[in-house]
Amino acid sequence: MKYLEIPTPSYVLEEERLKHNLEILNSVQNISGAKVLLALKGYAFWRKFDLMRPYLSGCCTSGIYESMLAFEEFGGREIDKEICVFSPAYKDNEVEQLLPIITHIIFNSFDQWQKFHQKIETKNRQLKSLGLSCIEMGLRVNPLYSEVEPPIYNPCISGSRLGIVPSEFQKGVEKFGLEGISGLHFHTHCEQNADALERTLVHFEKHFSGYFPKIKWINFGGGHHITRSDYDVKKLIDIINHFKEKYQIRDIFLEPGEAVGWQSGFLIGEVLDIVYNQIPIAILDVSASAHMPDCLEMPYRPNIKRVSLINGEECVFEDKGVGVGQYTYRFGGPTCLAGDVIGDYSFETPLKIGDRILFEDMMHYTIVKNNTFNGVPLPNFGIISKDKFELLKSFNYSDYKNRN
């Protein structure tokens, strides 16, 4: 692969790596009977949804625009695909637009369910008259347990707005009952293994199992790092099978975002300049702030590869670690934010202006969060298939102007 021929900056999907992930996820579906949904909040590279459609059962979405994208580019009930939407709160006009699209809608409170259930029931009578499957309604619950760090990603911290806590759920049932509710949803994970799910289910069952006889499906949420090399897939399958058999649950949903796009592509940038302030600082056309804000939110230091032209040949160099190699550089972006720093990296040979830097694992939770701060151009979208690069989309001034 000629990396120096790829325009920078670009997000680049590696097709074979994506297929590898999809095959693992599909095997979980086939063996356990669970339905794996693509979480668009984490991975929305729709230009290649055609690669994913044969493997996954549908999409989970976070509101009207993601639901529209899922319907248009992945498909809905007409091709037997699920579109399962959750939002902390819906507007009236949003629900009106969601009704023709979704297969499942999950509410964050009893009051929201009560506000909209009549509209949904009216739509369901229409769907039923046409011989189509009805929209199923669910409630998101908070089992008061999560192992997620840092707190910004933990949906079960004290005072969280996400999910109905057990005491409030009981009050809601006493006031409204559960007639019309067919599912429960919890989301408590972030890039975790199956043992975290096992421990979470203890709390979920403790607080909510008394309601399971009225429930047909349960959504185990996202954050299951199923495609990571050390993930215990067998344990996950055993957990699902045991849970379904124990409670006679019809469907179990999983909605990983990062597991779909895990290690399936990179963000490539170019070294524009090298300045010095206590250490050498490489200025790139890639920005942590604009192009991969998760690096600053988490924060974390992404893994990289460096590509340099030596004697007419592309040479790939591995990062040796912070301060380990003979030559250490700080990577910074092109924005005016002083903290637009990606991290420190070292090599056994000097970095050169014009070198390319590949930031690994940048297909999930990067594209969906990027921005045009400072008017910095958005990266291109591309794909590597059979060792050939194809440019799928590039952005220009109008994309910046129309966002502001």
Side-chain angles (χ1 to χ4, degrees), residues 108-138:
N108 197 49
S109 73
F110 279 84
D111 286 342
Q112 279 260 300
W113 167 44
Q114 288 299 298
K115 180 177 180 179
F116 295 114
H117 77 92
Q118 289 185 349
K119 285 185 177 181
I120 296 166
E121 288 165 1
T122 299
K123 179 64 176 180
N124 280 343
R125 286 193 288 271
Q126 178 190 8
L127 291 169
K128 193 172 182 179
S129 70
L130 297 172
L132 300 174
S133 59
C134 293
I135 299 168
E136 300 201 33
M137 292 179 280

Side-chain angles (χ1 to χ4, degrees), residues 334-381:
T335 74
C336 70
L337 178 68
D340 190 1
V341 173
I342 302 161
D344 292 356
Y345 299 86
S346 70
F347 309 95
E348 294 302 332
T349 58
L351 192 67
K352 299 187 300 180
I353 294 172
D355 283 356
R356 301 298 196 269
I357 306 297
L358 277 62
F359 295 93
E360 302 284 7
D361 196 25
M362 286 294 158
M363 298 307 295
H364 59 90
Y365 289 105
T366 48
I367 297 172
V368 296
K369 289 188 175 185
N370 65 20
N371 59 76
T372 54
F373 175 59
N374 272 186
V376 171
L378 294 167
N380 309 300
F381 294 157

Side-chain angles (χ1 to χ4, degrees), residues 32-291:
S32 71
K35 295 183 178 181
V36 178
L37 308 178
L38 167 65
L40 293 192
K41 65 182 177 183
Y43 186 98
F45 199 93
W46 61 266
R47 287 170 176 80
K48 284 299 173 180
F49 275 4
D50 59 308
L51 300 176
M52 310 171 75
R53 198 176 298 113
Y55 295 93
L56 303 180
S57 295
C59 299
C60 69
T61 62
S62 305
I64 182 59
Y65 287 164
E66 285 187 356
S67 299
M68 292 172 67
L69 181 63
F71 183 77
E72 291 176 1
E73 301 298 337
F74 205 100
R77 60 169 53 84
E78 77 285 351
I79 60 168
D80 198 29
K81 296 297 183 184
E82 315 280 4
I83 298 180
C84 181
V85 61
F86 165 80
S87 175
Y90 300 94
K91 295 181 178 181
D92 291 271
N93 67 319
E94 291 173 341
V95 171
E96 292 289 347
Q97 294 176 80
L98 287 168
L99 290 178
I101 296 173
I102 57 173
T103 60
H104 297 71
I105 183 167
I106 299 169
F107 296 101
N108 197 49
S109 73
F110 279 84
D111 286 342
Q112 279 260 300
W113 167 44
Q114 288 299 298
K115 180 177 180 179
F116 295 114
H117 77 92
Q118 289 185 349
K119 285 185 177 181
I120 296 166
E121 288 165 1
T122 299
K123 179 64 176 180
N124 280 343
R125 286 193 288 271
Q126 178 190 8
L127 291 169
K128 193 172 182 179
S129 70
L130 297 172
L132 300 174
S133 59
C134 293
I135 299 168
E136 300 201 33
M137 292 179 280
L139 293 168
R140 177 166 176 170
V141 298
N142 180 345
L144 304 178
Y145 180 83
S146 175
E147 301 175 13
V148 172
E149 294 288 347
I152 188 175
Y153 292 113
N154 187 334
C156 296
I157 59 172
S158 177
S160 173
R161 74 193 191 285
L162 300 172
I164 308 166
V165 296
S167 59
E168 291 299 306
F169 194 90
Q170 182 178 349
K171 291 177 185 177
V173 172
E174 290 171 354
K175 184 175 181 180
F176 300 112
L178 285 175
E179 186 66 33
I181 292 295
S182 58
L184 296 178
H185 170 225
F186 68 87
H187 176 69
T188 64
H189 291 67
C190 180
E191 297 190 350
Q192 289 171 302
N193 214 313
D195 58 335
L197 173 61
E198 188 173 47
R199 291 187 291 272
T200 299
L201 284 176
V202 173
H203 297 264
F204 177 56
E205 294 174 64
K206 172 186 173 183
H207 294 301
F208 299 103
S209 61
Y211 309 106
F212 290 176
K214 298 181 180 294
I215 296 303
K216 297 178 181 178
W217 54 270
I218 292 178
N219 188 322
F220 284 1
H224 311 280
H225 227 186
I226 302 168
T227 54
R228 195 177 67 204
S229 60
D230 64 341
Y231 188 90
D232 193 341
V233 174
K234 182 181 183 304
K235 178 182 279 291
L236 173 65
I237 292 170
D238 289 344
I239 288 170
I240 294 169
N241 287 334
H242 174 73
F243 192 94
K244 288 178 68 176
E245 182 178 351
K246 181 178 179 180
Y247 294 109
Q248 296 301 297
I249 299 296
R250 184 192 68 198
D251 291 320
I252 297 293
F253 291 98
L254 303 170
E255 46 182 52
E258 72 280 5
V260 174
W262 175 249
Q263 298 291 350
S264 68
F266 54 86
L267 171 60
I268 186 170
E270 180 181 354
V271 177
L272 304 179
D273 196 9
I274 300 174
V275 300
Y276 189 89
N277 182 354
Q278 299 183 40
I279 67 169
I281 304 167
I283 309 298
L284 312 179
D285 59 357
V286 165
S287 165
S289 174
H291 301 150

